């Protein structure tokens, strides 16, 4: 819980009372690998802070899984559009490996916003982060070569994601075939 | 200025002091059609509230203009990624027709955040709005037919944008050739 307090205080400078109230809203959850936390067509009612572990959001397109977001230790994740609008999710949220999580429900978060406006800043940071991730991914899809995309990914994402997420999931996140990703990785190791 | 106060108070419930401080940070600007407010490769230092008018953001791809965002009366606009990160913009911000604007600088907005945390909620709403617009546009590009995209656009966007923005700008926003848009509009009128 201390690390989460540090993560928040990097941006929020919470009073003791605010932190205690936030902490009181969290629920600890331990999930095995490939646990579905939000199923497509259901509403994402919680956002998750990852104490340790690895998760992703993805959707199905013509039977194929398209990964849209990865998150690991000390990051937040939820099918974001569903969570902020409280509408059915197009995406599934799943653990990639066993994960220790703190969940915060939509209603608790909104109570926090109402009680302590300083938490609006957390909401703003989460929204900006999701915006920039989506923008980078969509610009990268449109303008970059497969190799450039992978090099960008290596620079921008936590090494844990690169090392532990299955190749086919990273490939779909980067909009390329698993074979192309495998070829690019070999090229990079040789050069 | 009254309408802006109403727009903000829909979400923020500002105290008189907070509103007066916000108002004091605004600068009124009247711009002719096709005025460039932010040029690509420069930093977006202001966000604009549109009192009346029509604006867009766009970038150049192989000499072609690709429109990424439209906004008109009572909406906010800026090259958003550049504004929140204070990094050079990939996009240009331009008026489509003569526009009356209130601008708010990045530093003024950050002073407001620091002085009155309730303004963080405005930041959160702007970020969520930009996220959802980008998500809808990118999902629509990937999954919808040209006709579906145009029908969605008609449902989601202000009629003023549909009536007054040039066809080639709407077509590029929807990821289609101007000729396809023209054909779809004819089909819709006939059916």
């Amino acid at each position: 819980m201390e690390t989460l307090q540090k993560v928040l205080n990097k941006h929020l400078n919470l009073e003791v009372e605010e932190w205690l109230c936030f902490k009181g809203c969290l629920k600890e959850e331990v999930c095995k690998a490939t646990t579905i936390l939000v199923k497509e067509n259901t509403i994402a009612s919680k956002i998750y802070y990852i104490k340790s572990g690895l998760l992703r959001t993805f959707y199905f397109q013509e039977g194929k899984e398209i990964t849209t977001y990865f998150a690991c230790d000390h990051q937040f994740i939820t099918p974001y559009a569903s969570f902020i609008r409280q509408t059915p999710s197009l995406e599934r949220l799943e653990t990639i490996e066993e994960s220790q999580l703190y969940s915060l429900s939509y209603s608790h978060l909104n109570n926090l916003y109402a009680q302590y406006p300083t938490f609006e800043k957390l909401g703003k940071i989460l929204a900006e982060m999701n915006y920039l991730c989506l923008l980078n991914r969509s610009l990268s899809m449109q303008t970059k070569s497969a190799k450039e995309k992978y090099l960008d990914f290596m620079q921008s994402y936590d090494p844990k994601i690169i090392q532990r997420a299955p190749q086919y999931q990273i490939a779909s996140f980067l909009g390329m075939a698993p074979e192309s990703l495998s070829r690019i990785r070999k090229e990079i190791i040789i050069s």
Side-chain angles (χ1 to χ4, degrees), chain A:
Chain A
M1 202 67 102
E2 259 178 46
T3 322
L4 172 54
Q5 192 175 4
K6 274 185 201 159
V7 168
L8 291 184
N9 274 332
K10 254 194 218 168
H11 305 287
L12 300 192
N13 287 319
L14 295 179
E15 303 287 334
V16 176
E17 185 192 331
E18 292 167 334
W19 163 247
L20 290 176
C21 188
F22 182 84
K23 197 175 149 182
C25 295
L26 301 178
K27 198 181 141 200
E28 199 159 359
E29 303 190 25
V30 180
C31 302
K32 290 188 181 162
T34 68
T35 301
I36 299 172
L37 292 167
V38 179
K39 212 172 160 7
E40 55 279 17
N41 303 320
T42 65
I43 294 171
S45 60
K46 298 173 185 177
I47 186 163
Y48 294 87
Y49 169 79
I50 308 170
K51 196 175 159 192
S52 69
L54 183 55
L55 288 89
R56 65 168 178 145
T57 54
F58 66 100
Y59 65 94
F60 290 94
Q61 191 170 50
E62 294 161 13
K64 272 191 189 167
E65 295 176 6
I66 312 289
T67 297
T68 50
Y69 205 90
F70 288 109
C72 65
D73 309 11
H74 318 310
Q75 297 176 334
F76 288 88
I77 192 167
T78 188
Y80 188 67
S82 168
F83 182 73
I84 59 172
R85 289 185 296 192
Q86 289 294 284
T87 54
S89 177
L90 299 174
E91 300 167 314
R92 184 182 290 190
L93 172 62
E94 196 177 87
T95 54
I96 297 174
E97 57 179 40
E98 181 170 304
S99 302
Q100 288 191 291
L101 310 168
Y102 292 120
S103 68
L104 175 62
S105 74
Y106 181 78
S107 60
H108 273 129
L109 181 58
N110 276 277
N111 291 342
L112 285 169
Y113 288 155
Q115 209 173 341
Y116 304 110
T118 189
F119 284 110
E120 298 280 5
K121 189 173 181 178
L122 174 64
K124 186 188 76 179
I125 292 167
L126 291 170
E128 289 180 351
M129 203 180 66
N130 275 280
Y131 171 82
L132 292 173
C133 175
L134 180 62
L135 181 72
N136 286 342
R137 186 162 172 262
S138 89
L139 280 178
S140 166
M141 293 275 193
Q142 286 165 43
T143 59
K144 294 194 172 153
S145 72
K147 190 169 178 181
E148 283 170 335
K149 282 195 273 189
Y150 185 64
L151 290 173
D152 271 8
F153 183 72
M154 281 176 72
Q155 269 202 330
S156 318
Y157 284 79
D158 195 300
K160 185 175 175 179
I161 296 171
I162 298 154
Q163 288 152 15
R164 300 211 208 158
Q167 294 298 296
Y168 79 94
Q169 293 178 6
I170 295 177
S172 77
F173 180 78
L174 298 174
M176 60 177 83
E179 300 75 29
S180 309
L181 179 58
S182 171
R183 183 179 43 77
I184 289 163
R185 288 178 81 138
K186 276 183 203 150
E187 276 175 29
I188 290 170
I189 293 166
I190 293 165
S191 64

